[in-house]
Amino acid sequence: MSENITPYQYLPNMSRRESLKWLTVLAASAVVTSVSGCSFISETEPVKVGHWPDLTPTPIEVAGYGTDPNLILPPESPWPRTLSSTQLTLVAVLSDIIVPRDGAVPSATEVKVPDVIDEWVSAPYQTQQRDRLVILNALAWIEEESQRRFNRGFVGLSGEQQLKIMDDIAYNNAQTPEEFKRIAKAFDRFRGLVLAAFYTSPEGSKDIGYLGNVPIAGDYPGPTEEARQHLEQVLASLKLSAYAYS
């Protein structure tokens, strides 16, 4: 290949105290909860078409925080971050494909999403460890596929080449070829975590207009008519109209 791609390396720049706080917020995130089913990907089912790395990473067996941690000022983490520099850089490149900079809205790496993903897959809890196996296999698959197609690691590809691989695994639906079914499902989980991490950041929350806890002068005005109609539609779809606003 004649094209010269500038080497890129993502350098962690979030403190452990900050990333642990973010881990707690992410664990309670509605976005993560909504895609949690994707983490139950079978890692033992053989791949009939295509390739799969089938990694068996060493389990993280250190203790967690217990049942009553101090989440305001969390103590020093009892577990290390586990992504290698190569894996973290790949996470960064993929994260910025999912959430690129858009005008004044920063990209995923600009709000340190890769550090949060590293913290997530390194935590010793059941959900995070299921995700760890899924995501490490997904990262390895992407690297293998990049070498198979272009004889170069994914980070070293041109943007056009990267998107050719991403286009094949971006969605898991009836049109997805069998050879990409498993990686598409794994990538869906990775994408869900990236989006959850981004939109729970201050910058991401601002982008979607979430104000958080703010004081209201006078009586509480209640939801807008648009919000009320949306809630009624959702409750009706769930057959819970008895709880809708009257």
Side-chain angles (χ1 to χ4, degrees), residues 58-188:
T58 303
I60 297 176
E61 297 178 340
V62 297
Y65 280 126
T67 58
D68 190 24
N70 182 345
L71 300 180
I72 304 301
L73 294 173
E76 183 179 350
S77 173
W79 64 81
R81 289 180 182 162
T82 57
L83 290 183
S84 68
S85 175
T86 300
Q87 290 170 326
L88 192 60
T89 298
L90 178 55
V91 167
V93 171
L94 293 170
S95 297
D96 275 357
I97 291 175
I98 296 169
V99 186
R101 170 169 272 275
D102 183 12
V105 180
S107 68
T109 57
E110 290 179 280
V111 299
K112 308 175 186 178
V113 164
D115 298 74
V116 181
I117 300 299
D118 192 3
E119 193 72 69
W120 182 270
V121 300
S122 302
Y125 308 111
Q126 185 178 22
T127 296
Q128 284 75 13
Q129 286 309 288
R130 275 197 303 265
D131 285 342
R132 177 172 181 248
L133 182 57
V134 170
I135 290 171
L136 291 185
N137 273 304
L139 296 178
W141 186 97
I142 290 169
E143 279 294 278
E144 290 179 4
E145 187 70 10
S146 178
Q147 291 289 348
R148 287 161 63 95
R149 295 194 194 189
F150 305 110
N151 296 313
R152 180 175 287 179
F154 188 86
V155 173
L157 299 182
S158 67
E160 181 181 359
Q161 290 170 331
Q162 290 174 345
L163 291 181
K164 285 183 178 179
I165 296 176
M166 291 295 97
D167 286 345
D168 286 333
I169 68 175
Y171 302 102
N172 177 32
N173 52 38
Q175 286 71 47
T176 305
E178 185 64 33
E179 64 183 301
F180 300 129
K181 285 283 189 181
R182 189 165 184 172
I183 180 60
K185 190 180 296 184
F187 186 73
D188 188 44

Side-chain angles (χ1 to χ4, degrees), residues 199 202-212:
Y199 285 113
E203 296 86 351
S205 296
K206 180 180 178 181
D207 183 42
I208 59 176
Y210 176 66
L211 298 178

Side-chain angles (χ1 to χ4, degrees), residues 42-49 52 182:
S42 172
E43 295 296 338
T44 58
E45 182 181 352
V47 175
K48 299 177 182 178
V49 181
W52 189 253
R182 189 165 184 172

Side-chain angles (χ1 to χ4, degrees), residues 26 28-36 189 191-197 199-200:
L26 191 59
S29 167
V31 181
V32 170
T33 303
S34 69
V35 295
S36 62
R189 179 55 176 167
R191 177 175 51 228
L193 289 171
V194 169
L195 292 172
Y199 285 113
T200 52

